[in-house]
Amino acid sequence: ISLFQKEKSPLQTIGEEQTQNPYTELLVLKAHHDIVRFLVQLDEYRFASAGDDGIVVVWNAQTGEKLLELNGHTQKITAIITFPSLEVCEEKTQLILTASADRTVIVWDCDTGRQVQKVSCFQSTVKCLIVLQRLDIWLSGGNDLCVWNRKLDLLCKTSHLSDTGISALIEIPKNCVVAAVGKELIIFRLVTPTGESLEWDILEIKRLLDHQDNILSLVNVNDLSFVTGSHVGEMIIWNILDWTVQARECNFWDPSPQLDTQQEIKLCQKPNDISIHHFTWDEENVFAAVGRGLYVYNLQMKRVIACQKTAHDSSVLHIAKLPNRQLISCSEDGSVRIWELREKQQLAAEPVPTGFFNMWGFGRVNKQASQPVKKQQENATPCSLELIGDLIGHSSSVEMFLYFEDHGVVTCSADHLIILWKNGERESGLRSLKLFQKLEENGDLHLAV
């Protein structure tokens, strides 16, 4: 379906018969009393949910059964992360760390529900957590950056960085981490204890000032790069070793002349229309959630190879790559959608219009070519994102989701609910198998010889 086929509704739609959508069954999981913002996978069959009610709930992803409820925070949860056991440890316990607006961090045992330990010495709310498993430490980011060991001893910390605080943290090589603070990226290096000094330290190495606005997303792309996205639609791909800019994309969103004037004004009034909320990646591409749209940026070609400008009615909050060239996205509009990246066979031989690169921020400006190019923009991309599934169940913003290869997709929402979306054919097969096994056990199944 063309994006601009219907003048009234540029949003892509799908018919009732979603033949390529495997998720035809759903389980609604109720346990929270406020917005559910976070989901974290614990193992092959369990996950934990957390949000504004301050509660952490552990679930069975196969059955939807509520396994544990962890109560300890007095305000909303602001970050959650798994804390893997040490390889040398015989008893493998699954731990998670949760940070809250009550200015505490709690370590939980997910097998028993026990509160292992609590840290309450924070000067500000911790907004992000990261575990550096190789060094067996974890970092908390708020108005400053603190380094902790497994016993929750504070090893070292930075000075006060910013009142807005650290919005995202990632690990990069050479004992370094990258922190997003407002529109700046700050590289810190961890100094580990040596024979001469038993003290840990964290040193600010460099500040990268290339973004024009606040950084909303920061993700490791592969062993060579990391990527950042800002509030005004800037995407920068960085070299992970020397922190130089490898590629930059700043012109994702451009109102199409095919939209009528009224719609164009309405779209331009949306302040978040070009915010980059999330990234995901595979070996070849970076997938960006830009405003209401989805964009596929090829790392080798250094350009956008597919886009869906109005993938959702509101901002896309979370995206993930599925197997078989599929992508899943969720949005503030309450919908969860599945897309497939397909090559446009019929356009393979056509030359790419020269002005296309100017639109996306590459090449020299070609004023003559720029006008007709806008109309050809959709056709100029060698691939397309086709809508193959629409998961409708939530009544409010879908904050994020998890994908389990064997158990389906789990979504969490501002409607206080969690939905477990199941592969209907698979579930039907499992039910039949169980029925046959039960009949066989009871001796009711007489197979004809």
Side-chain angles (χ1 to χ4, degrees), residues 196-268:
E196 295 167 14
S197 168
L198 298 173
E199 297 294 311
W200 285 80
D201 202 1
I202 184 160
L203 307 173
E204 183 181 317
I205 301 298
K206 192 167 186 180
R207 292 197 178 214
L208 307 173
L209 311 172
D210 296 66
H211 276 289
Q212 303 299 309
D213 208 324
N214 287 347
I215 296 160
L216 301 179
S217 40
L218 165 65
V219 178
N220 279 316
V221 171
N222 46 38
D223 296 337
L224 305 171
S225 317
F226 63 92
V227 61
T228 50
S230 82
H231 185 66
V232 291
E234 310 159 294
M235 179 183 86
I236 300 178
I237 297 170
W238 307 82
N239 182 306
I240 207 163
L241 296 172
D242 64 11
W243 321 315
T244 53
V245 174
Q246 286 183 332
R248 185 194 298 265
E249 185 57 85
C250 302
N251 295 308
F252 276 117
W253 188 75
D254 188 65
S256 168
Q258 286 164 288
L259 291 177
D260 60 47
T261 324
Q262 213 173 353
Q263 274 183 313
E264 200 164 325
I265 292 165
K266 191 175 141 193
L267 287 173
C268 294

Side-chain angles (χ1 to χ4, degrees), residues 34-48:
D34 209 329
I35 299 172
V36 190
R37 294 189 190 274
F38 304 104
L39 297 169
V40 63
Q41 186 171 341
L42 304 178
D43 50 36
E44 287 176 10
Y45 76 98
R46 290 182 307 163
F47 69 93

Side-chain angles (χ1 to χ4, degrees), residues 104-116:
T104 65
V105 168
I106 299 177
V107 183
W108 307 90
D109 182 333
C110 285
D111 299 326
T112 63
R114 186 172 65 90
Q115 188 174 305
V116 180

Side-chain angles (χ1 to χ4, degrees), residues 118-186:
K118 186 175 188 174
V119 188
S120 312
C121 59
F122 294 98
Q123 302 299 308
S124 61
T125 298
V126 171
K127 293 181 180 176
C128 45
L129 297 164
I130 184 174
V131 173
L132 307 191
Q133 205 172 347
R134 192 174 45 82
L135 300 171
D136 199 36
I137 56 170
W138 59 278
L139 282 70
S140 61
N143 291 357
D144 53 16
L145 185 58
C146 302
V147 183
W148 309 81
N149 66 11
R150 192 171 277 272
K151 294 175 187 170
L152 270 65
D153 299 320
L154 179 61
L155 302 174
C156 56
K157 61 184 269 190
T158 65
S159 56
H160 178 92
L161 295 170
S162 146
D163 286 339
T164 52
I166 296 168
S167 57
L169 271 173
I170 58 163
E171 180 184 7
I172 58 171
K174 301 178 185 172
N175 287 356
C176 289
V177 293
V178 184
V181 182
K183 60 176 81 169
E184 296 184 358
L185 286 175
I186 310 178

Side-chain angles (χ1 to χ4, degrees), residues 15 105 117 158 169 206 227 242 292 304 309 323 326 343 368 397 408 428:
V105 168
Q117 229 170 328
T158 65
L169 271 173
K206 192 167 186 180
V227 61
D242 64 11
R292 304 181 303 151
V304 171
K309 284 200 226 170
Q326 290 181 358
E343 287 185 21
Q368 290 173 333
S397 173
S428 180

